[in-house]
Amino acid sequence: MTEAGVLEPKYSLGHVIPVIDRLLSSGRIRRAIWQLWYPFLTRRLQQEDVLFLNYAYEEDPPHALPLAPADEPNRACIQLYHHVAAQTELSGRQILEVSCGHGGGASYLTRTFHPAGYTGLDLNPAGIAFCRQRHRVDRLAFVQGDAENLPFAAATFDAVLNVEASHCYPSFPRFLNEVARVLRPGGKFLYADFRFANGLAEWEAAFAAAPLRLLQTRVISSEVLRGMNLNSSRSLDLLQRHLPRFLHALGRDFAGVQGSRLHTALARGELSYRSHLREKSATAQG
C-alpha cells in the first residue's frame, strides 16, 4: 500500500524486494498493482465476511468503547475508525469516506455517529459490490470511483474521511486538492495513515501546500502497533488459508502481522502512523 517515500512495506517478496520497490516507485505501476490486488483479496476473502482491510488501534490502558455484539470481533479495527471520526461532530452531516474498503468502518460510523448521509467510495468494483450486499444501513450508500478524481460536485460534503489508504495513491497532492474541492467551506478532513522515514518530508510538504488548515495531529504509532498485535493471529490464519503459498510473504507484509517488515518498522520507529483533523477555509470557494 503506499506513496512516494513508503516503498518498503506490504508488497515485499523475499529476495525480490528491491525489484518490487523500484517498480512501485512509478505511480502508474503502483496504481495498476493495487487495482489487481484489492479485487483479488475481495474474491478470496468474501466468504469470511472480512469487513476491515485497515490496521487497528488499541490504547494503553484500553478504552472501553461500547460495541454491539456483532461489532465485537472487529473491535481493534473499529477503534481506529472511532479515533479518527471522533475528532469532530458528524451527527446530521453529509460524510464521504474515500477508499472505504469492505465497508466495515462506514457501517459502524453511520450506525454510531448518525450522519445525515454517508457515502463510501472505493476504486475496487468487487469491494463496492460486497459493500452494497453486506451493509444495508439507512443513510449509507456506496459508489465506485477514483480518489484522485472524485465523482462529486464541489462543496458537497461536510466531512471527508480517509483511513489508511492515501499511501496507495499515485498523487497524494492531487487527492488533497480533490478533498478540498468536494468539502463545503468550513468542512473537515478526518485522516489517518503512515509513511516511512524517507517519505515524511514529502508527506508533510504535500499537506503544507494543500488548502486544508491543520487543527490537530497526533502520532498514533504505538496504538496502531498494539492493535496490529491484537489482530496478528487472525490475519495470519486468513492469509494462510486463502492465499496461494507463493503470496504468503506478500500477505504477511500487507496484513502487518508480527514479524513482517511493516510491523518491524513500526516497532523500531522507522515508520510513523499519524491522525489528522484539517479544515477547509470557511471563506474558500469550490
Side-chain angles (χ1 to χ4, degrees), residues 93 154-159 179-188 211-212 279-286:
R93 310 291 171 84
T156 298
F157 298 99
D158 300 300
V179 169
R181 182 182 67 81
V182 302
L183 276 174
R184 292 171 180 153
K188 303 300 191 293
L212 296 163
E279 180 181 65
K280 179 176 178 176
S281 168
T283 59
Q285 300 298 312

Side-chain angles (χ1 to χ4, degrees), residues 13 33 36-37 50 66 71 83 89 111 135 150 160 167 174 178-179 211 214 222 249 260 275:
L13 292 170
I33 289 173
L36 294 172
W37 174 250
V50 173
D71 288 325
H83 164 74
E89 177 63 52
R111 290 180 283 113
H135 304 295
L150 295 172
V160 173
H167 57 266
R174 179 167 177 170
E178 278 291 276
V179 169
L214 179 65
S222 296
S260 67
S275 61

Side-chain angles (χ1 to χ4, degrees), residues 78-97:
I78 284 173
Q79 288 175 164
L80 178 58
Y81 265 86
H82 191 96
H83 164 74
V84 175
Q87 296 180 101
T88 194
E89 177 63 52
L90 298 182
S91 178
R93 310 291 171 84
Q94 288 292 338
I95 313 302
L96 170 66
E97 181 183 352

Side-chain angles (χ1 to χ4, degrees), residues 141-253:
F142 294 98
V143 176
Q144 196 272 336
D146 184 354
E148 295 180 21
N149 188 25
L150 295 172
F152 307 105
T156 298
F157 298 99
D158 300 300
V160 173
L161 188 89
N162 185 248
V163 176
E164 198 179 297
S166 71
H167 57 266
C168 296
Y169 304 157
S171 174
F172 182 57
R174 179 167 177 170
F175 162 64
L176 292 177
N177 285 332
E178 278 291 276
V179 169
R181 182 182 67 81
V182 302
L183 276 174
R184 292 171 180 153
K188 303 300 191 293
F189 179 43
L190 306 163
Y191 174 82
D193 208 355
F194 60 86
R195 295 292 187 274
F196 277 77
N198 62 353
L200 291 178
E202 187 171 356
W203 196 26
E204 292 167 353
F207 270 127
L212 296 163
R213 181 171 65 95
L214 179 65
L215 299 182
Q216 63 185 36
T217 186
R218 184 176 155 198
V219 176
I220 56 172
S221 300
S222 296
E223 290 83 355
V224 171
L225 186 64
R226 281 191 289 270
M228 290 165 74
N229 290 340
L230 290 175
N231 281 352
S232 188
S233 294
R234 180 191 180 201
S235 297
L236 186 60
D237 173 67
L238 284 170
L239 71 89
Q240 287 177 338
R241 288 191 291 112
H242 292 285
L243 294 185
R245 184 175 295 276
F246 77 92
L247 287 178
H248 282 188
L250 173 61
R252 286 193 295 271
D253 277 344

